[in-house]
Amino acid sequence: MDMLWSGWGDPAEAAPLPETVTGLLRDLLGVTPRATGPVDLADLDVPEPGLPPAVLDDLAGAVGGAAHLRTDAETRVRHTRGKSTPDLLRIRDGDLDDAPAAVLLPAGHDDVLAVLRACARHGLPLVPFGGGTSVVGGLAPARRGPFVALDLRRMDRLLAVDPLSRTATLHPGLRAPHAEALLAAHGFTLGHFPQSYEWATIGGFAATRSSGQASAGYGRFDEMVLGLTLATPEGTLDTGRAPRSAAGPDLRQLLLGSEGAFGVITSVTVRIRPVPAVRRYEGWRFASFEDGATALRRLAQDGPRPTVLRLSDETETLVGLAQPDAIGAAAPPQAAGCTAVAGYEGTAEETAYRQERAAAVLRACGGTPLGAEPGERWAHGRYAAPYLRDALLDAGAFAETLETAAFWSRVPELYASVRAALTATLTEAGTPPLVMCHISHVYENGASLYFTVVSAQGETPLTHWARAKRAANEAILAAGGTISHHHGVGTDHRDAYLEEAGPLGIAALRAVKRCLDPAGVLNPGVLLPLD
């Protein structure tokens, strides 16, 4: 099943906002319904593909025939941009300026190589396309003329399992739920559950350095990757023949996070773990975000570390965004303060031991246990937030997210600076926002901050958000944070990434791209600016 073209996920899962929420949006933020709804798919004015027949024939031959090359309007619309709020507002208004001229569906590594070489011959830009879940402009290249999308959905196999080494090799087009089902049949799990889990793909996880909600226990996706195969216009690059190596720089790290700018990932070898016998989630209350952050730091540094560990600030707790499927319900009497969620996975004995020891640390840091219900509710609704975003857009609100990370000593300044930048910029634009935040991933040395912004759309929401995002990016860099913890760079973060990486770092990456993609056809303008 394809994702909703004008929103997130499965249309059957979408639900309108309850009246309690629309009333709050109206009274608190001045949100008013949009004058018109999204353009119907049948009414979209889709530009002509613009590719000569000889080019189309060459591309079709690369993927095994015309049946695997699509130029129909609906397929091209469904491969237009990603799922950020600006992406959705543009496509809901019928803006298809970034629609691909054609969509190609390769069956394997050799097909991908053939497509890349054909694109290089014709100087035709190409965008790798997995689940289409990018929220940073990673699927909208800067280009001159038409481009094509390389949809990897046919490359959806579990290629190998090594139970002794606990590794698996996966195709890049496997959606995460399918990958988990295939691994579960062998008694294993990957343990990677980002908010995009239901739609994102294995290749996308690697290409963007994804981080799942259980990262405290399983690690980030880039920590799971043991090997990669990359197809480029110049040939194949294989990396990773052992769990660790001292044979020069680790080329895996060069390819992880490369966002399709250096090549197309055609297989990923990952470490896997046994399916846990027990999963338990619970909630905790802290008097302040500072107190809760201290507790999370204690667990991250000294243990025992839960599998899931996250903390909502006061605003997010009060609004109820920590439990998106419960938005609009009456706030519980203990709603003051901040809600933390801790989750534990493993054997029954080991899980109980870690849960008991972690509880002692959380209590010592001022935490009050709320029992299993808040944690279980979070687990039940953990993938609901993107649907909530769509409902907010339908109601006339603007809703978007951004994320960053820093060392523990910089987290308080980072939190305050980004909140202040977003609030000041959007208030000046006449759309004062509600800014919420949670700590979504923790490490021994630092943590990530995930912000959610809701405001009235106003007459020019894209202009307002572009200004606010620039201000937030500047605040992130000034406070010592990274421009992205797990969403990636795309085009939205590219300019800030130039500053973070520095001129020499960008020059080195440009040299890599010239070596692997001398014609410059791979996702041009994504990650790195055009020459």
Side-chain angles (χ1 to χ4, degrees), residues 294-317:
T294 297
L296 267 59
R297 177 177 58 81
R298 286 273 305 276
L299 288 176
Q301 291 180 337
D302 303 324
R305 186 179 297 188
T307 309
V308 172
L309 190 58
R310 52 197 292 122
L311 172 73
S312 294
D313 72 359
E314 291 89 345
T315 306
E316 188 171 284
T317 297

Side-chain angles (χ1 to χ4, degrees), residues 418-430 433 435:
V418 175
R419 279 176 54 88
L422 291 167
T423 300
T425 310
L426 288 170
T427 299
E428 289 170 5
V435 180

Side-chain angles (χ1 to χ4, degrees), residues 346-361:
T347 66
E349 181 180 7
E350 187 263 345
T351 297
Y353 176 72
R354 279 194 298 138
Q355 187 173 14
E356 181 180 356
R357 289 186 61 215
V361 175

Side-chain angles (χ1 to χ4, degrees), residues 94-329:
D95 179 354
L96 293 170
D97 180 59
D98 295 321
V103 178
L104 306 171
L105 292 90
H109 178 81
D110 290 343
D111 282 5
V112 175
L113 280 177
V115 169
L116 294 180
R117 288 167 177 157
C119 287
R121 283 194 297 273
H122 299 290
L124 181 63
L126 174 143
V127 176
F129 193 99
T133 61
S134 171
V135 292
V136 292
L139 302 176
R143 82 281 180 208
R144 301 174 184 89
F147 72 98
V148 297
L150 188 72
D151 189 323
L152 301 169
R153 70 178 64 194
R154 293 176 67 205
M155 298 174 64
D156 63 349
R157 293 168 51 207
L158 171 60
L159 298 172
V161 175
D162 179 348
L164 185 63
S165 303
R166 290 188 177 177
T167 69
T169 302
L170 308 168
H171 256 161
L174 264 176
R175 277 188 18 202
H178 188 196
E180 280 294 321
L182 292 172
L183 290 171
H186 295 270
F188 292 102
T189 179
L190 185 56
H192 190 67
F193 305 105
Q195 196 170 79
S196 61
Y197 168 78
E198 295 173 311
W199 297 90
T201 61
I202 296 298
F205 292 153
T208 60
R209 289 188 181 271
S210 175
S211 192
Q213 295 170 341
S215 65
Y218 289 97
R220 291 165 52 94
F221 193 80
D222 50 8
E223 296 170 326
M224 302 176 185
V225 174
L226 302 174
L228 291 168
T229 301
L230 189 79
T232 82
E234 296 296 291
T236 298
L237 187 60
D238 280 312
T239 68
R241 58 191 304 153
R244 295 291 186 272
S245 172
D250 190 346
L251 292 177
R252 289 174 297 188
Q253 297 304 319
L254 184 63
L255 306 181
L256 290 163
S258 58
E259 300 187 31
F262 297 162
V264 178
I265 295 168
T266 58
S267 70
V268 183
T269 298
V270 291
R271 65 110 181 96
I272 52 179
R273 293 181 179 170
V275 173
V278 173
R279 290 186 172 97
R280 295 174 180 163
Y281 304 98
E282 62 186 18
W284 288 79
R285 182 77 63 194
F286 290 90
S288 69
F289 194 55
E290 180 181 4
D291 290 347
T294 297
L296 267 59
R297 177 177 58 81
R298 286 273 305 276
L299 288 176
Q301 291 180 337
D302 303 324
R305 186 179 297 188
T307 309
V308 172
L309 190 58
R310 52 197 292 122
L311 172 73
S312 294
D313 72 359
E314 291 89 345
T315 306
E316 188 171 284
T317 297
L318 184 63
V319 172
L321 197 59
Q323 301 167 359
D325 65 333
I327 290 290

